[in-house]
Amino acid sequence: MASTLHVNYDNKPCYDILIENDYERFYSVLKDFNLSERKICIVTDSNVAFKTEELVPNIENLCKEVSVFTFPAGEASKNLDTVYELYDFLIKRNFDRNDLLLALGGGVVGDMTGFTASTYLRGIKFIQMPTSLLSQVDSSIGGKTGVDYKGYKNMVGAFYQPSLVYINLSTLKTLPKREYLSGMGEIIKHGFIKDRAYLDWLNDNMDKIKALDLPTLEYMIKRSCEIKQAVVEYDPKETLGERALLNFGHTLGHAIEKCCNFTNLHGECVSIGCVCALKISYAKGYISKEDMEYGILILKKANLPTDIKGISADSVLNATKHDKKMDSNKIKFIILKSLGDAAIDTEITIDDMNESLEGVLL
Ligand code: GLY
């Protein structure tokens, strides 16, 4: 079992995504980076740091020096203070532009490390080693890096491509079940926006997916990575409308995430946002009632939430205004023209969104 995807940037080969079941291939690939005279800093968080016990002894032989920078797990660490601490850590150890950062963890680790790599000495190389389902199929691919700023999510950042994405599927076995299933929010979204057959496959294989059956996981993660790859290759900086399609379920999903103070996981809020986007796609006459219900059923099958208690429609709608301000005063709402085919709709109103929240906000 092994898969390799070659990702292009500007129509030129840029980096590979390797999908494996352990770290063996990582060590041999790292040899090709010619690091014998270089330093590596593994950046990780307090939940994932234990994995460095396996990695460090194997990497030590391949480079001059390995250090580990660990920060407290969670979105609260995804800010410039952590970036400054990492700068200090690298400066103290004389990291120069030929040295390498290795992001070992979920989306927070990858985004923060990538942003630090993009700015330290005007850019040093970094490798993504995503350990959560969500980061394996989404945030590690496509070069979006950044941190939150004064409560605004991903407000400061840069497009900066990794030198390699290495996915070790076995890391999913140590993820808390809830976090694993939250990643299914983005995966099902890939089916909604790009691939009806994949959506059907997810529906048919949900029991095996939930049981972390390895061949099933391998196919699923490869297919989701392929979908994300095709989108970011075509529209790397989200200027052509294609990459924006990945925001299906995110306008209301992000707003819900903010209103519940990030107490629900990102993929869970995306799932609820997808329900609203499916309802709007039906209300606008794009998809049938059966397709809307089928979409919601798949989210439910993955044990993802499709409704939420304790937040008001006003607060959710108010939170979407930030998206609007950031984009020429228009919300680029992503709808489905059919299952597997998404489009931008700039005519979706606050009333449309309000209606979609009925029965979703309990
Ligand atoms: N996660 C959305 C994107 O990479 O554009």
Side-chain angles (χ1 to χ4, degrees):
M1 182 210 73
S3 301
T4 305
L5 305 177
H6 305 290
V7 183
N8 284 350
Y9 184 81
D10 245 350
N11 295 318
K12 290 185 212 79
C14 186
Y15 58 93
D16 285 349
I17 302 170
L18 306 183
I19 304 169
E20 294 288 327
N21 193 26
D22 55 30
Y23 285 123
E24 286 314 310
R25 190 152 162 235
F26 180 66
Y27 307 133
S28 62
V29 169
L30 208 57
K31 274 194 197 124
D32 301 337
F33 278 70
N34 294 321
L35 296 166
S36 57
E37 294 309 310
R38 305 290 172 215
K39 295 191 268 288
I40 295 180
C41 175
I42 302 177
V43 182
T44 190
D45 70 23
S46 47
N47 285 343
V48 183
F50 73 94
K51 292 192 197 296
T52 60
E53 283 167 28
E54 177 189 347
L55 283 169
V56 170
N58 288 289
I59 294 175
E60 253 166 1
N61 308 324
L62 305 170
C63 67
K64 197 166 128 198
E65 197 182 303
V66 187
S67 46
V68 178
F69 176 86
T70 307
F71 64 89
E75 190 76 21
S77 293
K78 193 178 162 184
N79 55 39
L80 289 172
D81 290 336
T82 312
V83 174
Y84 298 153
E85 279 172 33
L86 181 52
Y87 288 153
D88 287 341
F89 186 92
L90 299 173
I91 292 166
K92 249 187 230 150
R93 284 160 184 78
N94 300 314
F95 267 68
D96 69 32
R97 201 180 279 148
N98 297 307
D99 297 325
L100 179 97
L101 303 189
L102 211 156
L104 175 72
V108 171
V109 173
D111 286 9
M112 196 284 292
T113 309
F115 179 64
T116 308
S118 76
T119 45
Y120 184 76
L121 293 172
R122 298 194 182 87
I124 65 171
K125 283 196 174 116
F126 86 111
I127 289 176
Q128 291 273 22
M129 294 183 92
T131 56
S132 68
L133 184 58
L134 193 133
S135 59
Q136 292 183 349
V137 297
D138 185 21
S139 59
S140 66
I141 304 163
K144 274 192 183 175
T145 75
V147 293
D148 305 337
Y149 182 72
K150 296 191 175 170
Y152 293 103
K153 227 173 131 68
N154 299 327
M155 185 50 81
V156 175
F159 284 103
Y160 192 67
Q161 306 303 323
S163 300
L164 171 72
V165 178
Y166 192 94
I167 297 172
N168 175 356
L169 298 176
S170 71
T171 61
L172 298 175
K173 306 235 177 216
T174 57
L175 264 193
K177 193 86 179 164
R178 182 175 168 196
E179 201 179 321
Y180 169 70
L181 290 173
S182 126
M184 290 306 297
E186 297 287 358
I187 286 177
I188 296 168
K189 178 203 76 180
H190 286 148
F192 283 148
I193 65 167
K194 285 286 165 195
D195 189 345
R196 166 73 200 243
Y198 181 44
L199 200 58
D200 292 338
W201 181 89
L202 289 168
N203 182 46
D204 294 343
N205 288 277
M206 199 57 83
D207 287 341
K208 284 196 214 154
I209 294 167
K210 288 202 274 193
L212 284 99
D213 172 68
L214 216 49
T216 310
L217 280 187
E218 194 202 345
Y219 174 78
M220 177 177 81
I221 290 176
K222 182 163 179 257
R223 183 67 201 122
S224 264
C225 286
E226 283 168 350
I227 290 173
K228 173 97 197 226
Q229 174 189 1
V231 170
V232 299
E233 281 186 338
Y234 180 79
D235 184 14
K237 294 206 168 159
E238 207 167 315
T239 50
L240 305 174
E242 180 73 3
R243 191 162 181 166
L245 302 181
L246 295 169
N247 293 335
F248 180 74
H250 281 61
T251 300
L252 287 161
H254 270 154
I256 289 166
E257 201 176 0
K258 206 170 165 196
C259 291
C260 65
N261 276 325
F262 298 93
T263 50
N264 289 287
L265 301 175
H266 177 71
E268 294 173 342
C269 297
V270 166
S271 169
I272 300 166
C274 284
V275 172
C276 296
L278 286 164
K279 286 174 76 179
I280 291 175
S281 303
Y282 166 58
K284 293 287 158 192
Y286 292 118
I287 61 171
S288 66
K289 191 159 188 268
E290 290 69 39
D291 280 353
M292 174 188 73
E293 285 170 351
Y294 178 54
I296 296 172
L297 177 85
I298 298 172
L299 294 165
K300 281 191 173 149
K301 261 188 157 174
N303 294 4
L304 284 162
T306 51
D307 51 33
I308 184 166
K309 282 195 185 105
I311 51 176
S312 71
D314 279 351
S315 64
V316 172
L317 296 172
N318 208 32
T320 64
K321 288 192 182 138
H322 175 66
D323 277 26
K324 191 169 168 180
K325 269 188 261 159
M326 288 296 147
D327 214 329
S328 345
N329 230 15
K330 279 220 173 225
I331 288 188
K332 282 189 187 162
F333 201 92
I334 311 302
I335 50 89
L336 295 187
K337 289 192 284 179
S338 61
L339 291 181
D341 187 15
I344 296 173
D345 190 332
T346 52
E347 304 303 322
I348 301 301
T349 63
I350 289 285
D351 283 346
D352 294 327
M353 288 193 264
N354 193 20
E355 256 171 52
S356 78
L357 290 166
E358 270 169 39
V360 168
L361 302 184
L362 303 176

